[in-house]
């Protein structure tokens, strides 16, 4: 028992001595930490140098721990690397804050891994102009994966009348460019249109909207998006609806026009009545282009409409397309409608008038025919018997 206690005490002494030795080892932080705005409207370069005292180190490995505050996620992100630089995406309307540490591992630190004190750098936003001069309600829609339109509204500061400019950049470009085709409203620039050739998916698409005004500076606004998450498919144009013998409705449609792959589309089908389409009866989400419904209210005309969007397998988010034109299936009604009754009544009245007219004509014809008969028979009627009665004399 005493031997066991002595061994545990000896182990603790060894560990404590190693910990004390490691704590006495000081590792220098990186030199020359700098955050450089590359004028890519959000992408910045973070670079540093190896400490001079570690440049000829041979018995330990050196790497670095980079921490930066993710302004989009609102949290610190940590990267470990052997390189002396790193590129990251930031919201340039906020402070860019980074910290870098040196990490040593090997025999020079008794086989453990030791972290140096950190060195920190901050890149401040320019913040020129009042916050109320910044554009509002910025949004982008990628129509059919063919054309993207971004729009914005004037800031709440009504005292300035700015002339807005939009600049954009993505990794497929060598430098930042201005909007190729502005959208105007009431003489002001309120949007920008991008063709397919100027876009790139699955990468950060950085945008800055700033402006100039004689009344004062305009606060720049920065946005970063991935355009495949802003797709809006075209409306579905071709649909067919059939009533099956078992009383079910079979609906079929063709995928919308555009560059959106058919395998990336999902559809929403809504059913309702012709008079109240918004009175939704059923809603179905499907990736097929056909759907069969059970029998619905047979006393009313049933209508169906379809819209589509990018499935989550192909994009994180997406816009629903516009609804298709409703496709309706009339049903047989046991009682004639008001329109049919009015038509029957009108036809009946017309037929009755025609009958009365025919009877009147027939009556007139009879009168005329009877008059002709009377005229013919009176002058040449049967002759009277003019035989002289006997006088009583015998001949």
């Amino acid at each position: 028992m005493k031997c066991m206690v002595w061994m545990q005490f000896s182990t603790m002494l060894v560990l404590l001595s190693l910990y004390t030795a490691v704590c006495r080892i000081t590792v220098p932080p990186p030199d020359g930490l700098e955050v450089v705005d590359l004028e890519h409207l959000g992408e910045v370069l973070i670079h540093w140098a190896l400490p001079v005292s570690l440049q000829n180190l041979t018995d330990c490995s050196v790497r670095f721990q980079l921490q930066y505050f993710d302004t989009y996620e609102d949290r610190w992100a940590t990267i470990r690397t052997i390189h002396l630089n790193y590129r990251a995406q930031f919201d340039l309307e906020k402070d860019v804050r980074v910290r870098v540490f040196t990490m040593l591992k090997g025999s020079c630190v008794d086989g453990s891994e030791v972290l140096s004190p950190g060195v920190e750098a901050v890149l401040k936003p320019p913040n020129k102009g009042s916050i109320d001069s910044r554009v509002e309600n910025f949004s982008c829609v990628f129509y059919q994966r063919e054309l993207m339109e971004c729009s914005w509204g004037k800031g709440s500061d009504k005292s300035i009348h700015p002339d807005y400019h939009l600049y954009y950049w993505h990794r497929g470009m060598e430098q930042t460019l201005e909007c190729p085709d502005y959208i105007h409203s009431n003489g002001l620039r309120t949007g920008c249109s991008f063709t397919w050739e100027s876009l790139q998916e699955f990468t950060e698409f950085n945008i800055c909207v700033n402006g100039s005004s004689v009344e004062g500076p305009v606060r720049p606004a920065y946005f970063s998006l991935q355009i495949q998450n802003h797709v809006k498919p075209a409306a579905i144009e071709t649909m067919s609806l059939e009533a099956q013998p078992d009383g079910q409705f079979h609906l079929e449609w063709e995928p919308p026009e555009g560059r959106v792959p058919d395998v990336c589309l999902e559809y929403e089908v809504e059913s309702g009545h012709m008079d109240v389409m918004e009175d939704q009866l059923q809603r179905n989400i499907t990736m097929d282009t056909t759907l069969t419904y059970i029998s619905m209210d047979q006393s009313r005309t049933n209508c169906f409409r379809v819209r589509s969007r990018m499935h989550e397998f192909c994009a994180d988010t997406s816009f629903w397309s516009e609804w298709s034109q409703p496709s309706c299936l009339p049903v047989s009604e046991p009682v004639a409608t008001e329109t049919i009754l009015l038509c029957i009544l009108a036809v009946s009245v017309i037929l009755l008038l025609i009958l009365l007219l025919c009877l009147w004509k027939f009556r007139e014809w009879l009168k005329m025919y009877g008059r002709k008969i009377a005229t013919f028979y009176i002058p040449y009627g049967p002759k009277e018997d003019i035989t002289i009665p006997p006088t009583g004399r015998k001949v």
Side-chain angles (χ1 to χ4, degrees):
M1 184 67 179
K2 291 182 179 181
C3 184
M4 289 280 292
V5 173
W6 175 252
M7 290 179 62
Q8 291 178 358
F9 181 71
S10 300
T11 303
M12 291 178 62
L13 287 176
V14 172
L15 292 176
L16 182 60
S17 61
L18 289 174
Y19 176 77
T20 304
V22 170
C23 288
R24 285 198 299 264
I25 300 174
T26 58
V27 178
D31 292 335
L33 176 61
E34 189 176 8
V35 180
V36 180
D37 184 359
L38 300 174
E39 297 185 356
H40 292 167
L41 312 179
E43 186 184 55
V44 302
L45 174 65
I46 308 167
H47 66 87
W48 58 91
L50 181 68
V52 177
S53 60
L54 302 180
Q55 291 181 358
N56 298 320
L57 192 65
T58 58
D59 53 350
C60 270
S61 61
V62 182
R63 58 178 181 162
F64 303 94
Q65 178 172 292
L66 167 66
Q67 294 179 343
Y68 64 90
F69 191 77
D70 190 330
T71 51
Y72 298 105
E73 299 291 337
D74 199 26
R75 63 179 179 85
W76 285 92
T78 300
I79 302 294
R80 291 186 175 182
T81 178
I82 62 173
H83 301 291
L84 298 175
N85 59 75
Y86 186 80
R87 295 188 182 212
Q89 183 73 26
F90 293 92
D91 181 357
L92 295 185
E93 296 184 60
K94 302 176 182 179
D95 290 351
V96 177
R97 301 170 56 192
V98 299
R99 295 193 295 243
V100 183
F101 306 83
T102 305
M103 302 179 66
L104 284 184
K105 183 177 182 180
S107 58
C108 68
V109 289
D110 296 330
S112 60
E113 189 168 43
V114 183
L115 190 69
S116 76
V119 58
E120 185 170 347
V122 179
L123 178 65
K124 293 283 188 179
N127 286 340
K128 65 176 183 178
S130 67
I131 187 64
D132 294 333
S133 65
R134 181 183 184 274
V135 296
E136 298 179 344
N137 303 321
F138 182 86
S139 65
C140 294
V141 181
F142 194 11
Y143 294 100
Q144 296 99 248
R145 289 184 68 240
E146 295 177 346
L147 174 75
M148 186 172 76
E149 290 185 355
C150 297
S151 61
W152 59 83
K154 185 178 179 295
S156 58
D157 188 352
K158 305 303 181 183
S159 64
I160 63 173
H161 302 83
D163 184 19
Y164 291 112
H165 303 272
L166 181 144
Y167 299 91
Y168 69 101
W169 180 87
H170 56 71
R171 292 185 183 273
M173 300 170 55
E174 295 182 357
Q175 60 183 5
T176 301
L177 296 177
E178 190 173 358
C179 169
D181 184 16
Y182 282 107
I183 300 172
H184 295 81
S185 176
N186 297 324
L188 298 177
R189 292 175 176 175
T190 58
C192 178
S193 178
F194 300 89
T195 60
W196 169 258
E197 292 75 18
S198 62
L199 302 173
Q200 187 171 12
E201 296 178 295
F202 300 100
T203 187
E204 299 297 335
F205 192 90
N206 296 338
I207 295 175
C208 174
V209 181
N210 59 20
S212 58
S213 172
V214 296
E215 293 85 4
V218 177
R219 176 73 63 90
Y222 293 89
F223 308 94
S224 182
L225 54 110
Q226 294 206 358
I227 62 174
Q228 76 276 1
N229 297 330
H230 294 258
V231 174
K232 182 176 183 178
I236 294 173
E237 297 182 354
T238 305
M239 293 176 54
S240 64
L241 179 63
E242 296 180 354
Q244 297 181 337
D246 56 2
Q248 295 182 336
F249 295 137
H250 181 73
L251 180 66
E252 188 171 350
W253 60 91
E254 293 184 4
E257 299 292 332
R259 299 174 61 95
V260 182
D262 296 349
V263 296
C264 286
L265 288 173
E266 67 176 358
Y267 303 93
E268 182 180 32
V269 184
E270 281 189 351
S271 60
H273 298 301
M274 183 172 61
D275 51 349
V276 189
M277 189 61 197
E278 296 299 330
D279 183 16
Q280 177 185 310
L281 298 180
Q282 295 186 35
R283 172 184 292 180
N284 295 87
I285 302 292
T286 178
M287 293 192 69
D288 298 325
T289 56
T290 61
L291 197 64
T292 301
Y293 278 82
I294 61 174
S295 297
M296 300 171 66
D297 187 356
Q298 296 295 317
S299 64
R300 306 171 72 178
T301 298
N302 297 293
C303 296
F304 302 84
R305 61 183 183 179
V306 185
R307 62 180 181 176
S308 64
R309 69 176 177 185
M310 291 271 284
H311 193 270
E312 61 181 2
F313 294 154
C314 298
D316 294 334
T317 58
S318 179
F319 293 103
W320 282 110
S321 70
E322 300 298 326
W323 286 107
S324 66
Q325 291 296 320
S327 181
C328 302
L329 189 65
V331 295
S332 299
E333 298 185 3
V335 181
T337 62
E338 182 179 355
T339 303
I340 297 177
L341 288 175
L342 290 175
C343 292
I344 293 176
L345 179 62
V347 172
S348 301
V349 171
I350 293 173
L351 291 176
L352 181 61
L353 291 175
I354 293 175
L355 179 60
L356 292 175
L357 181 62
C358 291
L359 290 175
W360 180 78
K361 286 290 185 181
F362 182 70
R363 183 171 176 274
E364 291 295 319
W365 180 82
L366 286 178
K367 286 182 179 180
M368 184 178 296
Y369 185 74
R371 218 179 271 119
K372 288 182 177 180
I373 294 177
T375 304
F376 179 79
Y377 279 107
I378 290 175
Y380 305 99
K383 294 181 178 182
E384 295 182 1
D385 187 6
I386 57 173
T387 303
I388 301 175
T391 58
R393 240 169 37 174
K394 295 183 178 179
V395 179

